[in-house]
Amino acid sequence: MDTLRKEELYTIDDIYALPDGERAELIDGKIYYMAPPNTRHQRLVSDLHYQIKDYIKRNNGEFEVFPSPFAVFLNEDDTNYVEPDISVICDRDKISEKGCNGAPDWVIEIVSPSSKPRDYMTKLFKYRMAGVREYWIVDPDKEMTTVYSFEKDAVEQYSFGNEVPVGIWERFFINIQ
């Protein structure tokens, strides 16, 4: 008789117990270790964070934008913990000293070779189900940004160098280089 091997489920406590400097995300109880980002990745995160922060400031927005590492507890459970590259939160009640409790309104992930399947499939599903309104996947290798507007049930792609409209705000466009 064959027996199925039960996969161990991890919790947020396991994430917090990782050795200093080791980063990982937790999706449905499975740990995904994260490689250190490269220079291009960090430049993209920095530029996107700056453009979004500047827009919020110029428009007296009540929103907040956080670059990674920033903890996002997607569900009210202890088996999901992610660190999106950029998190934009419109409801300040979701923000605590530990991070964001619930879905950010807008999430941006910069794809790296090791995160590609997770960003394009696993996180896409998790973010949609958790209530993220807009999800951008920025792919430096393809020089392409894929925008998922979950509220409009739409997907659009933009080449680097073209203006990308921000769906959750009117009259805001970002040019990714």
Side-chain angles (χ1 to χ4, degrees):
M1 180 165 111
D2 288 330
T3 57
L4 293 176
R5 225 174 92 207
K6 191 171 182 176
E7 192 174 312
E8 185 173 354
L9 289 181
Y10 294 94
T11 68
I12 291 170
D13 290 338
D14 296 309
I15 293 293
Y16 283 113
L18 291 173
D20 282 349
E22 190 160 354
R23 290 182 51 218
E25 293 180 309
L26 182 68
I27 300 173
D28 295 329
K30 183 175 180 184
I31 290 182
Y32 295 89
Y33 293 94
M34 299 188 310
N38 65 28
T39 302
R40 185 166 191 204
H41 179 280
Q42 290 305 92
R43 281 187 183 123
L44 285 165
V45 169
S46 180
D47 185 52
L48 287 164
H49 178 259
Y50 173 79
Q51 289 186 61
I52 296 165
K53 182 101 175 157
D54 182 59
Y55 177 83
I56 292 169
K57 197 174 193 176
R58 282 186 290 109
N59 290 279
N60 300 314
E62 293 294 314
F63 321 111
E64 291 207 49
V65 57
F66 296 94
S68 184
F70 179 72
V72 172
F73 306 95
L74 281 177
N75 306 322
E76 292 183 24
D77 62 28
D78 66 347
T79 60
N80 287 282
Y81 166 99
V82 292
E83 292 183 1
D85 289 312
I86 302 281
S87 300
V88 177
I89 300 130
C90 299
D91 179 357
R92 287 184 176 218
D93 290 340
K94 289 183 177 181
I95 301 169
S96 72
E97 285 304 307
K98 286 192 166 196
C100 178
N101 299 301
D105 293 270
W106 177 19
V107 168
I108 302 174
E109 295 283 8
I110 314 296
V111 173
S112 63
S114 64
S115 74
K116 212 169 257 201
R118 192 164 60 252
D119 291 336
Y120 277 104
M121 293 181 286
T122 309
K123 286 185 177 180
L124 172 65
F125 176 76
K126 288 306 288 184
Y127 290 149
R128 182 180 192 127
M129 297 310 294
V132 169
R133 295 166 56 200
E134 189 165 341
Y135 175 42
W136 289 19
I137 300 175
V138 178
D139 193 325
D141 291 338
K142 293 180 181 177
E143 295 197 347
M144 186 75 64
T145 301
T146 305
V147 176
Y148 295 89
S149 177
F150 297 134
E151 291 177 321
K152 298 174 186 163
D153 205 23
V155 181
E156 296 183 49
Q157 289 192 316
Y158 301 87
S159 298
F160 279 23
N162 292 323
E163 288 191 329
V164 182
V166 176
I168 65 167
W169 297 320
E170 291 182 16
R171 298 179 304 278
F172 179 35
F173 298 85
I174 291 181
N175 192 334
I176 300 172
Q177 299 292 329

